[in-house]
Amino acid sequence: MLTTYDKTASIPFLANGVLEVHVDSVAANGWVYVTVPRQTGDLVRGPFPILASPLTPKPGDLGLAAFIEGRPDEIVILGLFGKVTSVTMGTCVVYNVLDYGVVANAASAASANVTALASVETAVQSAGCGIIYFPCGTYYLDGAASAIFLTVDTDNVTLAAEAGVGATIQDQRTGAGTIVKFAGASGNYITNCAVRDLKFTGANAGANARKAIELQYVEGLRVDRCEFTNNAQSIWADDVRDCIVSFCVFDGCSVTDASNKAAVYLSSNSGASKVSRSVRFHDCLWRNNYQYDVFLEGSTTAVSHVRFDACRFQNDGFIRGDRIRLSLVDDVTIDSCEFSLGDFHTGYTTKINAISVEGTSTAVSLMNNHFEAQGVASGSATISSFVYAGTGSDSCTGLTAIGNNFVVGTNHALAQACIRYGTAVSKVFRAGNRVITDTPGNTSLETGSPTTLSSLGVATLGHLIAPTRSITSGTTVTQNDDVILANANSASLIVTLPAIASSPYRIAVKKTDSSANKVRITPTGGNIEGAANLDLQNLNECATLVHDGTNWWVT
């Protein structure tokens, strides 16, 4: 009834220790016995009763899925589908690095460990798939500058440690080099690989190109529950697609030169027909990295379809560089992320943005994020903006900002504004954003005017700017204003509404004195319900105005 294989068979071994079992025939009832060949002998699990399914199974349907959980030599059945009497199954071998001469917890074995890893690499390449398993411990590696310690160039390879315990791989070099490289070839991607529960750390050498994980021509890679510390670049990727990075920490990456250095660098530089796309970062933490946290850089083609969700960017002492830098990208979404910007180191003049968008980028969406600046900028360093769209004269088309919170502390006024527009920005839509400050006038929602607008112009809906502002003389409404309390006791005064493109969607003006002097509301463009002005003449008389993109209306 059951056919087993010790290498890839008709049903390929999938990433993350997954075994696929397919239906060969259907019966009223059935049991499944699973035998998994291993180096140390057969591991038998079964029988497993086939669970009832509301679907009618047929040959070719998925029969069951088995995942590696905990130790990679233990197979745990997670789900059963259909009713089967026979299956075919493919499997791969677990390669424990200790069995190949790699030594844990011994810095003196760093060079010998590189040689031993080469034996593991050869065995996996020969088998065509496998799980490279690092038991708990620290594995020191040392060798020639620019060397790659471990190369994966075949499908279905997982690097893993014990879940919940992990293992550390430490690169002892101070120069360039790579710990592990997943490398396909142009037109021949490697697929279904994974890295799980490992910590990669380096010598924190600063200005070099040392990488923890390097990716080129890779599809379907997962990096889960890994930690990266003191690497010049933790993940460097060119021409990758359909990849997921989740529950990872990037801490203290130190790079002092300005060329594409980031904790995570993702590019499309392999040629006009090559592109990095469909990459997701989920619930990851970037903390105290020197230059960029993430740099997405297109070249001939854009980096596209990238999503960040539930990620945190917490930097208490960064010096230069944006937290996320986007250059020549298309369809990037940053959703439900947190940017917490703290103190600067003394002596650096570089202005910092949480997010910058440049290099002819399109379709960037910022939704439900939290931006906060509460620290003190030492020396002459300042935060330029939370978001800088179209840096300089670079074009940015299709920016959406919805439901974001911008929190600015007493000691951290922004040099520009929460959102800053360059000179070639178009098709901007923003709605429901909040600027929260404990000091009136400490910052504004935005600065700059997009040069080309959509049919609605720059749509501003429901912005809440705190606090209210009291005046005793004429003033012009700003994006900071929600309520104007006007005292005309000394003389009549004018409240000027700015051009629609730079106005808040709603503004309330209230006369707070009982004098005969009037408070006049005058728009810069358009009218107020067909009139050139609106006058408030009585104590506590109030008008709340909204605009339709052209004229103002009293509500």
Side-chain angles (χ1 to χ4, degrees), residues 260-449:
N260 69 27
K261 297 303 185 288
V264 175
Y265 176 69
L266 176 60
S267 72
S268 289
N269 292 331
S270 298
S273 62
K274 312 304 177 187
V275 60
S276 288
R277 65 172 187 241
S278 301
V279 179
R280 179 188 180 195
F281 297 91
H282 172 68
D283 202 359
C284 293
L285 169 63
W286 283 264
R287 180 173 56 207
N288 297 335
N289 299 306
Y290 178 85
Q291 197 167 352
Y292 309 118
D293 284 338
V294 180
F295 186 6
L296 309 186
E297 182 182 34
S299 181
T300 308
T301 54
V303 175
S304 66
H305 302 90
V306 179
R307 180 180 179 87
F308 299 84
D309 58 82
C311 293
R312 290 154 292 158
F313 301 83
Q314 298 176 352
N315 294 84
D316 299 324
F318 65 79
I319 301 174
R320 61 186 267 193
D322 308 312
R323 298 306 88 212
I324 297 180
R325 181 182 178 188
L326 307 176
S327 179
L328 185 53
V329 300
D330 175 57
D331 192 8
V332 173
T333 298
I334 303 172
D335 185 5
S336 302
C337 294
E338 175 186 323
F339 296 82
S340 180
L341 311 181
D343 296 348
F344 292 94
H345 287 232
T346 303
Y348 288 85
T349 60
T350 304
K351 293 183 178 180
I352 310 299
N353 307 288
I355 300 170
S356 69
V357 186
E358 58 190 59
T360 317
S361 293
T362 57
V364 175
S365 299
L366 312 175
M367 300 185 298
N368 307 311
N369 300 294
H370 181 85
F371 299 85
E372 183 168 350
Q374 293 287 358
V376 179
S378 301
S380 55
T382 59
I383 295 178
S384 177
S385 304
F386 285 125
V387 180
Y388 189 179
T391 57
S393 60
D394 285 354
S395 67
C396 174
T397 303
L399 175 70
T400 300
I402 299 176
N404 300 289
N405 286 338
F406 301 96
V407 180
V408 183
T410 303
N411 298 317
H412 234 151
L414 304 182
Q416 299 293 332
C418 293
I419 303 175
R420 178 186 180 190
Y421 302 113
T423 59
V425 179
S426 63
K427 297 182 179 178
V428 176
F429 180 84
R430 66 224 198 281
N433 300 293
R434 296 163 52 92
V435 178
I436 303 169
T437 177
D438 53 9
T439 303
N442 197 30
T443 190
S444 59
L445 175 66
E446 57 190 356
T447 184
S449 299

